[in-house]
Amino acid sequence: VEYGTDEKYGSKTPLGWAGQQIAPRLVFAELKGLKPGTTYHYRVGATNASGTTLGADATFRTASER
């Protein structure tokens, strides 16, 4: 997973193993260093013998501090 405050991302999670089946997968990742009340961009990538594919950009917003 690549993530950051814009579409340049800037941060990546460690690579993980998703198995060998050809089926949709849930992806879980720990994102570190997030700031409250901030919109982040992210995308998920996958690599196999044919190469790497990157998913579409998506966003989420962290909760504001109380």
Side-chain angles (χ1 to χ4, degrees), residues 3-18:
Y3 62 101
T5 55
D6 58 33
E7 290 182 49
K8 294 179 184 176
Y9 307 104
S11 297
K12 292 182 181 182
T13 62
L15 296 177
W17 173 252

Side-chain angles (χ1 to χ4, degrees), residues 4 6 18 22-23 28 34 37 40 42-43 49 51 56 60-61:
D6 58 33
I22 301 172
F28 297 90
L34 303 181
Y40 286 91
Y42 70 96
R43 67 180 174 186
F60 67 91
R61 184 169 178 83

